[in-house]
Amino acid sequence: MGQSEQEPLPPSDPGRPEAEAELPPGQRVQRGWPALHYGPVPRFNRLTWDLQVFGATASAEKHSWDFAAFNALPRTTVRADLHCVTKFSVLGNEWTGVPAAALLDLAPPAPGVTHVMVWAEYGYSANLRLADFADERTLLATHRNGEPLTAEHGFPVRLVVPRLYAWKGPKWVRAVEYMRADRRGFWEERGYHNLADPWRQQRYSHQEEPGDGPLR
């Protein structure tokens, strides 16, 4: 259920461009947090779950962490809004989890890596520029507002990329693939914009400019 209309709205994202309005163009404030996803909610098994990093790693080897090892990695909290391409925004979230930059330190990419593909359960994927993944506010989140994520919202891990639309942050993350060339992810192959900057309303692939993404 949504919040009472008498409750004040949470503070907005301090990391957004200061010159912009409170919300990205075309967005509206959402009370509550709708659970939107493609396909069913996966079942979690602590004994078989792991997070992998593979592809063009500096060591040419795959890295992996089981559930206990992942939860022992360095953690931080980031305050960031969530902007859904369906035009709602959830403001003032406090996300806690493992910084993506820490994963890059533990499993460095090889020279020439420019992009990552973030893989989730059931083969869902989202491609990101390496710079977006490495941003200090990008997080492999396990908690929101001090509470563990629910299954519907991505438990045990979802990616949070505050500078991009929320579809670039998959729920139920299982792997990160390092790539030397860009490749479209699940929604990018189905007509969504390759870059997904909400402040530029980069919603759909027909809006792409030359150089915004790989050829379709």
Side-chain angles (χ1 to χ4, degrees):
M1 295 181 64
Q3 297 171 309
S4 165
E5 292 187 2
Q6 280 69 47
E7 293 181 2
L9 295 177
S12 52
D13 181 359
R16 67 175 183 270
E18 293 183 1
E20 300 286 356
E22 181 173 310
L23 291 172
Q27 296 294 111
R28 59 175 174 78
V29 174
Q30 175 72 40
R31 299 178 185 273
W33 187 20
L36 304 179
H37 50 262
Y38 179 87
V41 175
R43 293 189 177 186
F44 169 70
N45 185 333
R46 166 187 310 267
L47 298 179
T48 60
W49 187 92
D50 65 358
L51 180 77
Q52 300 183 3
V53 174
F54 69 100
T57 64
S59 66
E61 297 179 350
K62 180 175 70 175
H63 303 256
S64 65
W65 296 263
D66 63 19
F67 186 67
F70 175 79
N71 280 285
L73 295 179
R75 304 173 70 78
T76 191
T77 296
V78 170
R79 191 174 185 86
D81 302 341
L82 181 149
H83 304 300
C84 182
V85 71
T86 60
K87 300 188 177 182
F88 73 79
S89 293
V90 180
L91 305 183
N93 309 283
E94 287 193 348
W95 306 99
T96 301
V98 176
L103 209 65
L104 291 167
D105 288 340
L106 293 166
V113 168
T114 58
H115 292 77
V116 303
M117 187 74 76
V118 180
W119 292 95
E121 299 282 1
Y122 304 129
Y124 179 89
S125 60
N127 60 315
L128 297 165
R129 293 172 292 191
L130 181 60
D132 289 324
F133 186 72
D135 186 85
E136 64 181 2
R137 302 177 73 236
T138 298
L139 202 64
L140 293 155
T142 59
H143 291 66
R144 174 181 176 265
N145 295 344
E147 297 293 332
L149 296 172
T150 63
E152 292 77 11
H153 284 297
F155 177 85
V157 181
R158 71 179 291 158
L159 185 68
V160 173
V161 191
R163 65 200 292 176
L164 303 180
Y165 280 120
W167 90 77
K168 288 290 192 179
K171 303 176 184 180
W172 312 302
V173 171
R174 293 300 304 274
V176 177
E177 177 187 1
Y178 295 159
M179 306 188 297
R180 289 189 172 94
D182 197 7
R183 191 169 79 243
R184 293 180 187 270
F186 181 90
W187 287 116
E188 293 78 15
E189 288 182 336
R190 290 161 175 78
Y192 279 36
H193 199 287
N194 196 56
L195 301 183
D197 184 341
W199 299 96
R200 297 179 179 174
Q201 292 203 79
Q202 292 175 332
R203 301 177 190 272
Y204 305 113
S205 59
H206 68 79
Q207 300 171 301
E208 290 177 6
E209 300 289 339
D212 282 350
L215 296 177
R216 298 185 62 81

